[in-house]
Amino acid sequence: MDEAIIKDRKFDVVVSNPPYIRKDIIPTLMEDVKNYEPHLALDGGKDGLDFYRKITEQSLQVLNEGGLLAFEIGYDQKEEVQAILSEKGFMEIKCIKDLAGLDRVITGVRN
């Protein structure tokens, strides 16, 4: 879990749309989502943040200094994902809203 998948390369940008739905919420999703989307693509763990923690940690091994990490987030995950990035030393952490005005993307710059 602590090893980066890509070890021998460095990147200026890492973008991810990880699974971010809390495990206990999955049964309440719309039928066309919960019945046809792979469970693996939905399940973000108990609090929905498992992959944000893992990807943020691993990005430190593959992201150039000054590189950008960007995540799609659930509408209610802004503060938690910003805190994960901040705890790992990311700077210039920002939230971008979608067309409906909901928090949708978090970006941070590796220090």
Side-chain angles (χ1 to χ4, degrees), residues 16-22 38-45 48-52 55 72 77:
S16 178
N17 178 12
Y20 56 78
I21 299 172
R22 291 190 339 246
H39 188 78
L40 184 65
L42 301 173
D43 189 351
L49 302 171
D50 287 358
F51 287 93
Y52 297 107
I55 294 167
E72 180 175 350
Q77 295 175 318

Side-chain angles (χ1 to χ4, degrees), residues 2-47:
D2 294 328
E3 281 188 47
I5 293 171
I6 302 169
K7 296 179 184 181
D8 300 330
R9 297 188 60 191
K10 294 284 186 178
F11 300 91
D12 292 322
V13 178
V14 172
V15 178
S16 178
N17 178 12
Y20 56 78
I21 299 172
R22 291 190 339 246
K23 185 180 279 297
D24 64 336
I25 297 294
I26 293 172
T28 69
L29 296 174
M30 297 182 316
E31 296 292 321
D32 61 332
V33 175
K34 70 180 178 182
N35 293 339
Y36 297 102
E37 288 289 330
H39 188 78
L40 184 65
L42 301 173
D43 189 351
K46 185 175 181 178
D47 64 359

